Amino acid sequence: MQERDANTSTEASMGPTFAQRVAKTIKMRFQNYLDRSTPYVAARWGFLLVEIALYALRVYYIKGFHIVTYALAIFILNLFIGFLSPIEDPEGEGPLLPTSDKTEFKPFMRRLPEFKFWYGCAKAVFCAFCCTFIPLFNIPVFWPILLMYFFVLFILTMKRQIRHMLKHKYIPISFGKKSYAKAPPVAGSSNKMSKVDKAG
């Protein structure tokens, strides 16, 4: 028992292993790249479109893995609903956005922010692309049935989401604070200012 305790204390005093240090370094650098890519919205979504195009070409070329594609579509639809939904349910917490011009403007707060929505989609497409190299996931299925199921689910889900938006009067797009036009100059103020300038 004393020898085991001594070995355990020796291993603990040695600190993390080489593999752990390398994994931590890679994770930190990857997170750094993600943080730096946050303001480049168009570039990030362009990368996602290229990723989806590569996955579609891969599936079309091998003509299989329809179950993986169906699961990917359902997962992205779930993320999209979170992207369109408010961070707090108006039915339980009250309306998040003002219902009249007299109340203070509040921007729409999403349940799933834009960056997390993009990152979730990118990870899902990458995982699905990797699954196409594993024959175990290539389950034979009649793909038109899956396509019909997805369209029915998409229509029903979006219909419920639109009803929720109309019921609680919110729009999942925020353009920031309202901007007001400048007030017109008061009549005679320009003449008074010119007289003061001449007198000075």
Side-chain angles (χ1 to χ4, degrees), residues 177-195:
K177 289 281 186 178
K178 292 182 179 180
S179 58
Y180 299 94
K182 294 183 178 180
V186 181
S189 61
S190 58
N191 296 332
K192 293 180 180 179
M193 289 297 295
S194 62
K195 289 180 181 180

Side-chain angles (χ1 to χ4, degrees), residues 86-192:
I87 192 173
E88 296 179 356
D89 190 3
E91 295 181 355
E93 301 293 336
L96 297 177
L97 297 179
T99 55
S100 64
D101 296 336
K102 297 181 180 179
T103 55
E104 183 183 357
F105 175 79
K106 295 181 180 179
F108 181 79
M109 302 296 293
R110 304 180 186 280
R111 186 197 308 169
L112 185 66
E114 180 270 334
F115 183 81
K116 290 185 177 181
F117 175 44
W118 167 82
Y119 187 52
C121 292
K123 288 195 301 182
V125 176
F126 178 76
C127 292
F129 187 82
C130 293
C131 289
T132 58
F133 294 93
I134 304 176
L136 180 65
F137 295 106
N138 192 11
I139 302 174
V141 66
F142 188 58
W143 65 266
I145 296 295
L146 295 180
L147 185 63
M148 183 183 67
Y149 282 166
F150 174 74
F151 276 119
V152 170
L153 182 62
F154 178 80
I155 293 173
L156 293 178
T157 304
M158 292 306 300
K159 184 177 180 181
R160 183 180 61 183
Q161 186 67 25
I162 292 174
R163 284 182 177 177
H164 190 268
M165 292 163 53
L166 294 177
K167 178 181 178 181
H168 299 285
K169 300 179 181 179
Y170 69 90
I171 300 177
I173 299 175
S174 177
F175 297 99
K177 289 281 186 178
K178 292 182 179 180
S179 58
Y180 299 94
K182 294 183 178 180
V186 181
S189 61
S190 58
N191 296 332
K192 293 180 180 179

